[in-house]
Every structure is written in C-alpha cells, then in structure tokens.
C-alpha cells in the first residue's frame, strides 16, 4: 500500500497524531498495518529505530479506540504484549503514553470524549495490590513476560482476564527462539489461543533474527485439520532497509606483548575516558557484571568526576531506573552496561557505542551497535576495544560479520520433556483434561509438533508418581491420572508446585543486599563472593561503595562507606558460550 494512503485505515485523530509527530510511515509500518488489519499473523524484522513497536501496536490501539467510540470496549485484555525483559516492559508502558496523550489531546480540542482505554504491566516486580487491581479491573492492554503469562494461565481467576485477547505481540523474538524459555512460551501461546477460543493475531518483532522462516513457523504454531496438523500462515515483513554502520577496532596499546603497567586495563580505562569525553552520550558494553563495576569505578577515578555508572542485572531496579533517567536527561555522560541495555530499552539519544572485548555473537554485537543513533536515518557509530591478541583476531572477524549483517542461525529446541512436564502440571491445575486433548494441544506448539505419544505418556506416568526405585521411596504425585477414564487433573499440591517452580530461568543462589533498614534493596551478590567476605569488608555495587555490617543466612546488610579499599565483587556463571558459527 502507498505510504500516503496507508494512514487512511486509521481513525482521523490517530492519523493526524501520526503525521504531526512521526511523519511518513516507515516500510515495516506501511507493509505491516494492512496485514494486521486483515487479521494475518506477521513477523516484522527491521533495524533498530525502524518503528517496529508502532507497527505492532498502532492498528490494534486504533481498533480499541473505534470500539470505545461505539461504547463497545471489550471486557478483559484485548492486546497482550510479551517481552523477555522486565525493564523493556516498563519502557513500553511509558512509551505508549506518548500516542495516548497526543490522541487524547486531539479529542479534547474537538470537544469529544476519549474512551477509557486502560493498560497495565504484570511482571515479577508487580506488587500484590497491583496484581489484584488487574483482576478487579482488567486492562485492555497488558504488558508482561513469558513467566508472568504462564503464572496467569495457571490461575483460574487470572486466566479469565485473558479470554478476550485478540492481538498477541512477541517482542525481541530472537532472544527466545534458541532457548527453552522460547519453548515454554510456545506452549503458553497455544494455551492462550485455546482459552480465547478464537484466532489471535500474532505479531513477532526483532531487529536481528535468522532464519526468518523458522522464526515465523515458531511464532505461528500449528492447528488441527481433518488431515492432521497444519502450520498457521505467517506473513514475513522484512523490507530491504540498511542503517548506516561505522565500526572500528581501537587497539589501546602499541604491543600486547609489552605492557608497561603490567596489564592492558589501565590503557583501556584511559582510552574509555578519552572516548567518553569526545562524545555527548556514550554506551559502553562489557561482557559481565564484574567488569561493569570495575570499569565504572576506574573511569570515575581517572576522570576525577562521575562520568559513568554501571548498569547490570544485580543492581537494584530503582538504581537502574535512576541511572537511565540521569543518562536521558544528559546529567550522566556514559553508562557501562552488560546485556541489560542491549535490547530496545529507551535511554534517550546515544551518540557512540564502545564494546570492551569482542561481542559474544554477531546478533548481540548488532543489537548493541544499533543503540547508537536510535533513528533510521542516523549512522550507528562504535568501536570495539580488544583485550588481548587473540581477542583482536576475534574482534576483527566479528566486526566484519556485523558490517556484512551475517547473523548466526538460531536452532529451536524440540520436544523438551522438562518444559512439557511444567505445562502439564499447570494445565491440570485449572481444569480436568482428557489425555488426548492434552496431547493434541501441546503438539500445536512448534517445538512439540513431532512429540511422540509414547514420550508424552511417559511424562504423564512420571508426573502421576510411577517411579521405579530399588528402595521404597515415597514420592508425591504431581497429577492425578485416571487411566480408566483417560483423564488428568491436578490438586492443591500441583498448583503450589506450578506457581513456585515456573519458568526456565535458573535460580542462581544470589544474596540480596539491603541497607540497615532491611527494606531498601541495593542489589544482589554471588553466594561465593558472600562466602569469601567478612563483616567490615568493602565492595562497590552500582558505583557506590558499601561496607558489610551483617551477613544473614539469606541476605547481606550493608551501610554506605568510603571508596578507599573497596573491591569489585564477582559473579559466577557470567560466561556464555559462543554460537556454532
């Protein structure tokens, strides 16, 4: 459809707001909106800053608006947005306010009433009171994570608010494809469609996904026909768009074999201070949390001012938000981040990207580089600073792959029986199932399309308590399997297990860190670091020095202190294997 005509599908106020604030639609929007309006599933792949979020949301919001103007706003959730990051969810919630406020203002100027369209965020950070509010007065737009969606589907009350979902948006789909977390979500998508008892429009978004056809098949899932299982059609929207990229390798020393200060790090810190001061806003990416803390502390010491702050998953949510807001407002020149800022979180305008040590993958490197100049017309500028000669070789190879856009292929796991067991227990908590219906529903998820009935029954048998032991070890069944009537159901014990052991993100045994009021959380520490620490020890966390005043069995209590003698903590398990390519 023509760029100038595609906006005609929207309400005049929506069209006016878009033209006044955004301008002409981008290719993903021009191609995506008509498909979504026609009720087709779509996978949109386009560079960072190409307007994918509005491509996914605007048509469904427009439909909500038109329904509201007729006094027909639906009960319960109408648009479900799922992303792998809690921080990205909060960001989307804030950014959706921009079109809502703008369109609401246009309605007010014309003296017309704007419908009461509600939205909410439901993640692990959502308070109990907010969760209850979602059940009492369900939002029309719900922003959540794969794990929170699973928990809602496990609850008889919570799943009721999802019965009216018409649109399901899966953001950053490439981060889920090759993982068991993605397998887990695939089953949840089929459970949601069965609950809604209608065709839900599925919209997948990614800036770096390969291969596109596999991602589309994963997103669409399958449905049953008289002749067997058939894949749902998914339109792939991947317009030929190329953002300008300027990537260089910055070698901080003359010769890696001759290090005047005994280490390459002093030269890396000096290079970083120079690069940060040469640019207005800089994101420095590192590959683990300990390096983020150490780098931020040393840069600020060399600069003799707070040039930067670290940003990673072990810093408290409030501290991370404060860092993001200060960076957006221009009060902070730089953030030293791990993968927490790799995806589409809005931290305002970024001039320059630095990657310390080679990125772990081409896809991750492109996501990070794409944060600079977060507009389609802007050139993404960045450098990679290698740490060693081997790292230099790897950096050169990855830089060439990034500039040529050769993204690694994701391999979707199949027939994961541990995830299957989780979902069976969850599904049996909310209703009694005939075993064939259970098997047929699970096979609609792309990852289980080839699941053998024999394997399915073995999982049922295990969950029902049919264990083989040399000794008589009592094991409580997770489900009640009536083999005579071929039905499966849960119990109160099943529900407790499903709610307490959901998802695929491992419990890493972290110690939360609190101030002496036992209320203010400042972050978390690795249990091995805590084991090696003593009362009175000092460490840096979130570029702030802390002194340990007490170590309890499940938390560490700290007080503010001076930076003299403070060490950088370490976290185990930060290393991620490299992709096959």
């Amino acid at each position: 459809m023509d760029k100038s005509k595609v906006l005609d599908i929207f309400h005049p106020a929506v069209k006016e707001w878009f033209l006044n604030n955004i301008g002409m639609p981008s290719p993903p929007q021009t191609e995506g909106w008509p498909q979504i309006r026609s009720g087709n599933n779509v996978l949109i792949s386009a560079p960072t800053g190409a307007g994918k979020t509005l491509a996914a949301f605007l048509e469904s919001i427009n439909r909500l608006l038109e329904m509201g103007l007729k006094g027909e706003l639906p009960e319960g959730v109408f648009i479900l947005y799922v992303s792998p990051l809690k921080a990205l969810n909060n960001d989307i919630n804030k950014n959706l306010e921009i079109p809502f406020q703008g369109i609401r203002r246009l309605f007010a100027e014309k003296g017309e009433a704007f419908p009461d369209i509600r939205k909410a965020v439901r993640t692990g950070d959502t308070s109990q009171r907010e969760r209850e509010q979602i059940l009492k007065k369900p939002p029309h737009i719900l922003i959540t994570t794969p794990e929170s969606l699973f928990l809602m589907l496990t609850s008889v009350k919570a799943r009721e608010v999802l019965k009216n979902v018409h649109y399901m948006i899966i953001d950053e789909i490439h981060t889920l494809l090759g993982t068991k977390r993605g397998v887990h979500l695939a089953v949840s998508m089929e459970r949601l469609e069965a609950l809604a008892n209608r065709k839900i429009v599925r919209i997948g978004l990614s800036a770096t996904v390969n291969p596109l056809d596999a991602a589309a098949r994963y997103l669409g899932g399958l449905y049953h026909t008289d002749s067997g299982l058939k894949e749902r059609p998914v339109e792939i929207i991947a317009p030929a768009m190329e953002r300008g990229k300027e990537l260089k390798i910055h070698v901080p020393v003359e010769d890696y074999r001759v290090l005047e200060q005994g280490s390459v790090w002093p030269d890396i810190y000096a290079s970083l201070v120079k690069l940060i001061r040469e640019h207005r806003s800089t994101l420095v990416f590192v590959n683990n949390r300990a390096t983020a803390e150490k780098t931020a502390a040393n840069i600020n010491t060399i600069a003799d001012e707070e040039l930067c702050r670290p940003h990673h998953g072990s810093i408290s949510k409030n501290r991370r938000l404060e860092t993001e807001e200060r960076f957006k407002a221009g009060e902070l020149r730089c953030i030293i981040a791990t993968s927490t800022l790799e995806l589409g979180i809005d931290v305002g305008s970024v001039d320059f990207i630095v990657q310390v040590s080679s990125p772990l993958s081409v896809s991750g490197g492109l996501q990070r580089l794409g944060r600079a100049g977060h507009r389609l017309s802007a050139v993404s500028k960045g450098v990679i600073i290698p740490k060693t000669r081997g790292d230099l070789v790897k950096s050169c190879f990855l830089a060439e792959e990034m500039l040529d856009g050769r993204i690694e292929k994701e391999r979707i796991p199949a027939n994961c029986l541990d995830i299957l067991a989780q979902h069976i227990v969850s599904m049996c908590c909310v209703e009694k199932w005939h075993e064939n219906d259970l098997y047929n529903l699970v096979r609609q998820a792309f990852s289980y399309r080839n699941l053998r009935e024999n394997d399915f029954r073995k999982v049922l048998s295990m969950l029902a308590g049919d264990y083989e032991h040399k000794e008589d070890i009592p094991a409580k069944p997770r489900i009640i399997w009536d083999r005579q009537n071929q039905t499966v159901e849960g119990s109160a014990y099943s529900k407790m297990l499903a709610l307490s052991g959901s998802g695929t993100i491992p419990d890493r045994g972290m110690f939360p860190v609190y101030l002496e009021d036992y209320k203010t959380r400042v972050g978390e520490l690795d249990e091995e670091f805590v084991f090696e620490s003593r009362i009175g020890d000092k460490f840096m966390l979130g570029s702030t020095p802390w002194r340990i005043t007490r170590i309890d069995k499940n938390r560490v209590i700290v007080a503010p202190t001076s930076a003299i003698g403070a060490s950088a903590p370490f976290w185990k398990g930060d290393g991620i294997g490299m992709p096959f390519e």
Side-chain angles (χ1 to χ4, degrees), residues 353-419:
I353 296 295
V354 182
Q355 168 70 43
V356 177
S357 187
S358 61
L360 298 168
S361 67
V362 178
S363 173
L366 283 172
Q367 287 281 352
R368 293 177 176 192
L369 183 63
R371 304 314 314 273
H374 200 90
R375 297 186 320 280
L376 203 53
S377 58
V379 175
S380 296
K381 294 182 180 179
V383 298
I384 300 174
I385 302 181
K387 293 189 298 185
T388 62
R389 286 184 295 162
D391 195 24
L392 172 59
V393 174
K394 196 158 66 172
S395 297
C396 290
F397 168 73
L398 278 160
E400 190 174 348
E401 297 292 288
M402 284 166 65
L403 291 171
D404 289 341
R406 286 194 287 267
I407 302 164
E408 303 89 355
K409 286 187 176 181
E410 292 291 352
R411 290 160 182 83
I412 301 170
N415 301 331
C416 307
L417 300 185
D418 48 353
I419 309 300

Side-chain angles (χ1 to χ4, degrees), residues 520-531:
T520 310
R521 181 169 171 152
V522 298
E524 59 185 20
L525 293 171
D526 188 276
E527 62 178 338
E528 193 170 324
F529 178 79
V530 175
F531 180 76

Side-chain angles (χ1 to χ4, degrees), residues 454-482:
N454 186 40
D455 289 338
F456 172 76
R457 293 189 181 280
K458 281 181 179 176
V459 173
L460 281 186
S461 181
M462 178 195 74
L463 292 171
D466 297 350
Y467 304 98
E468 290 183 10
H469 293 293
K470 290 180 182 175
E471 301 167 27
D472 185 22
I473 301 171
K476 203 167 183 179
R478 270 68 172 153
I479 57 170
I480 300 161
W481 185 14
D482 181 346

Side-chain angles (χ1 to χ4, degrees), residues 19-34:
L19 287 171
N20 292 344
N21 295 272
I22 310 295
M24 277 290 119
S26 65
Q29 294 164 349
T30 308
E31 295 178 35
W33 288 329

Side-chain angles (χ1 to χ4, degrees), residues 2 106 113 122 141 154 175 226 263 266 268 270 296 312 344 393 402 485 524 535 556:
D2 188 78
L106 289 171
R122 188 353 178 138
I141 302 171
T154 307
T175 65
D226 294 338
S263 166
I268 290 177
H312 56 78
V393 174
M402 284 166 65
N485 296 307
E524 59 185 20
I535 290 170
V556 176

Side-chain angles (χ1 to χ4, degrees), residues 415 417 420 439 443 448-458:
N415 301 331
L417 300 185
L420 177 62
Y439 176 61
R443 284 186 65 218
Y448 293 101
R449 65 197 183 282
N450 298 319
L451 177 69
R452 293 181 302 185
E453 193 169 348
N454 186 40
D455 289 338
F456 172 76
R457 293 189 181 280
K458 281 181 179 176

